[in-house]
Amino acid sequence: MNQFNVRKVAVLGAGVMGAQIAAHLVNMRVPVVLFDLAAKEGPKNGIVLKALDGLKKLKPSPIGVAGDLALIQPANYDEHLDLLAGCDLVIEAIAERMDWKLDLYTQVAPHLAPQAIVASNTSGLSITKLAAVLPEAIKPRFCGIHFFNPPRYMQLVELIPTPGTLPEILDQLETFATRTLGKGVVRAKDTPNFVANRVGIAGMLATIKEAENFGLGYDVVDDLTGKKLGRASSGTFRTADVVGIDTLLHVVKTMQDNLGPEQANDPFYGSFATPSAVAALVAAGALGQKTGAGFYKKVGKEIQRFDLAKGGYVPAGGKADAIVDRILKKPAPERLKLLRESSNPQAQFLWAILRDSFHYCAVHLAAIADSAREVDLAMRWGFGMKQGPFELWQEAGWQQVAEWVKADIAAGKALCTAPLPDWVFDGRTGVHTPEGSWSAAQGHYLPRSALPVYARQHFPEALAGEGAKPAITAGTEVYKNDEIRLWTLDGEVLIASITSKMHLIGPGVIEGLLKAVELAEAQYHGLVIWSPDEPFSAGANLEAMLPTFMKLGAKGIAPEIKKLQDALLRVRYAAVPTIAAMRGLALGGGCEIAVHCAKRVAHLESYVGLVEVGVGLIPGGGGLTYIARRAAENAAAAGSTDLLAFVKEGFTAAATAKVGTSALESRQLGYLLGDDVIVAHKDELLYTAIVQAKAMAAANWRAPLKGLFPVAGRSGIATIQAQLVGMRDGGFISAHDFHIASLIADVVCGGAVEAGSLVNEEYLMALERKHFCSLLEHPKSQERIMGLLQTGKPVRN
């Protein structure tokens, strides 16, 4: 496959999706031009500028760092079509109107670069029909690309070819979407709503219908169809509110318009009628989260749900029955059997929607996807399911579940009378095997894609039945205790995987890190700290400290804190490169592990910060020492003697428990450095970290030399405290907040020494340790610690 370099992307359409796609491109440092119509009044780029301003208000934020929105180049069709000639990829993302899209294609086609890939971001329109208006030279380079909303966070991207799309174009676009944008790509056939929305919206309609059949409220259904069922926590109706009920209605209409008796003749067509509640809400302008009301609305502090029978809202809060809750915790074979046989309406409802899902997916597999793999991954990545429908069916016992579904169809309980396909009953035990996943269209198992980009994923997301070896038992193990595993894939780089709950740091982690450095220096080219699941580490295990504290008080904790500090200094000054490969939370001690490594490789969705003040403590593993040292290094690099100016940002981040909401923002806070690597795809994190370790070793990397560095001293402390006094006296912080912040200032400024005094890391860590232990014995801090352990929520005192 030829190299496809995307030097610049054009996004056509600055609506909700187009603007967010542009934002995510900028997140991954891809230059982008965002087009829309020329404004009739004011600046010609006014529509795009307004859209970019609107992105600042979205939660969660589509942009890693708000200031990066300025990197998006605004443009309009009247003045800037010549800019298209410099774009290697053009993504059309205007409203879902076939006529509007075709008109736009006619307008832009003469200006496209000869090598450019052109793709339509549509949720269900026919890609083949869209291609009809394009010049013959462009048609082979045209396809569908369906991002899920919000594009930054949703992993799924569907690629949809036309009969004339060149295979290499799809390969190039899949590689770009995977490596550069971090997406999970599913190739879909050009059928209405493609794969995820076809299955997901059919499932949502079935859920609404079955909820009416069994007389269940939306709040109860959401509790049943959320995390308890292994799906997105928002359940069914809250998800509709987030997506937009008008958007849901649009996708439903696509099914109604294209899957009826005169088109594809979908046997489930009878269940695609617009639900009465959806019609009523749309008619009332209650379109979900964006209008403040939908299936739910908030009145004061009360959450209310829509009641169709009453034509208004009633208090929400209904939950799953305890017996159903217990059933859902059983293994899949027992779980489905109990749901089917139970007389409880909630259990019957759950069996019904699972049966409907199995039935629908089996009947349509041949038409919508190359294999069962695409269906299951699409539902995982696009609808937040832990398991796709085929995976669950297979785990629960393929033939038994098939017989149950067949019996329900015969009894008239299913949504339609269409029989399950013959292949379901050919003696198989499932659709996913080590050799591949079942293709109903081709009649054999299809292996996973062999595109080179997937060679970078040592442990790609596996489906049940594929037989993939989990990362936690992979490779060659060289050491293990209850909290950490040391292993290697290639004998060249040692990998340390923290295995404790939430990857909390306890004695076993400290012991393991010391062992890892010892082994890496003796036998390997580098050390990578990486775990196959999130988070990187949520910090120190406070609960594990309690017995020691109860027995010996703070003096019993001090030696344990020193062990952590010494271990992290050992990591910092190791004779081989040490790499922190981060994904998810890296808080408190997790952040301290990362900043003491020689380099960090971070997934974009890495949330890094020193958060100890939330439990009434200060960082104790060298985090404040790191802030002081980096301030000295940054001041020296800038040729400045004003140390305090460089200390303030790190002090503020620690004193306010500021957490970077992306790897990009974490870099701004100083927890990632300029030459650290930000990775788009979570499954490429380990590969990239290993490559970095080997490259550093090959370049004769040497650990930094231990030395002295200047601190801001007592004058810096006084300046910070003067500002804190104003905040305390103004009621912005409590007296205990003031006390904790003063101790943080004491460490980052180097204690009671003259400004510019030279200190070392051990000196500052001793200050950290002293203040950390003093806070452990403070009643207010003890309240915060116990409150968090008991309720999981911070205590403000």
Side-chain angles (χ1 to χ4, degrees), residues 540-563:
N541 190 340
L542 294 177
E543 199 167 1
M545 292 184 185
L546 280 178
T548 301
F549 179 75
M550 297 300 291
K551 183 177 180 180
L552 301 172
K555 68 178 183 293
I557 300 298
E560 301 305 313
I561 298 300
K562 188 171 190 308
K563 286 179 184 177

Side-chain angles (χ1 to χ4, degrees), residues 70-243:
L71 300 176
I72 298 174
Q73 182 178 355
N76 66 79
Y77 304 124
D78 287 359
E79 299 177 309
H80 303 120
L81 288 178
D82 59 307
L83 294 176
L84 292 171
C87 297
D88 301 299
L89 173 61
V90 178
I91 300 173
E92 171 270 306
I94 68 170
E96 294 282 272
R97 282 273 302 267
M98 178 73 72
D99 54 341
W100 291 358
K101 289 178 185 283
L102 295 179
D103 286 346
L104 180 60
Y105 294 175
T106 301
Q107 184 180 3
V108 303
H111 303 275
L112 299 173
Q115 81 286 355
I117 295 176
V118 184
S120 174
N121 180 69
T122 172
S123 60
L125 295 180
S126 169
I127 304 303
T128 302
K129 289 180 181 178
L130 287 172
V133 74
L134 291 170
E136 291 302 317
I138 296 175
K139 285 181 180 178
R141 294 181 278 112
F142 178 76
C143 65
I145 183 169
H146 180 207
F147 288 85
F148 271 61
N149 190 22
R152 170 182 164 184
Y153 301 96
M154 295 300 290
Q155 190 173 354
L156 180 62
V157 162
E158 293 174 315
L159 293 185
I160 311 97
T162 72
T165 306
L166 289 172
E168 57 263 35
I169 293 297
L170 288 177
D171 291 348
Q172 291 167 348
L173 194 51
E174 181 167 350
T175 298
F176 173 74
T178 301
R179 179 180 298 173
T180 305
L181 302 184
K183 297 305 174 186
V185 173
V186 163
R187 295 198 186 186
K189 296 184 179 182
D190 191 12
T191 55
N193 291 342
F194 313 129
V195 177
N197 275 343
R198 179 72 176 271
V199 173
I201 299 303
M204 189 172 284
L205 290 172
T207 299
I208 295 172
K209 190 175 183 67
E210 300 290 6
E212 292 175 356
N213 290 344
F214 291 99
L216 303 181
Y218 305 138
D219 45 0
V220 173
V221 170
D222 279 348
D223 192 47
L224 289 167
T225 59
K227 286 187 175 180
K228 288 182 172 68
L229 201 61
R231 298 183 179 181
S233 58
S234 52
T236 300
F237 297 99
R238 282 191 180 86
T239 297
D241 276 356
V242 171
V243 171

Side-chain angles (χ1 to χ4, degrees), residues 548-561 769-778 782:
T548 301
F549 179 75
M550 297 300 291
K551 183 177 180 180
L552 301 172
K555 68 178 183 293
I557 300 298
E560 301 305 313
I561 298 300
R769 199 162 60 245
K770 170 187 169 185
H771 294 327
F772 183 92
C773 291
S774 72
L775 286 169
L776 276 177
E777 295 185 325
H778 197 294
Q782 290 175 2

Side-chain angles (χ1 to χ4, degrees), residues 660-681:
T661 56
S662 67
L664 296 168
E665 189 176 19
S666 298
R667 176 181 276 160
Q668 281 195 332
L669 294 175
Y671 299 132
L672 271 71
L673 305 183
D675 62 348
D676 289 337
V677 179
I678 296 176
V679 174
H681 201 294

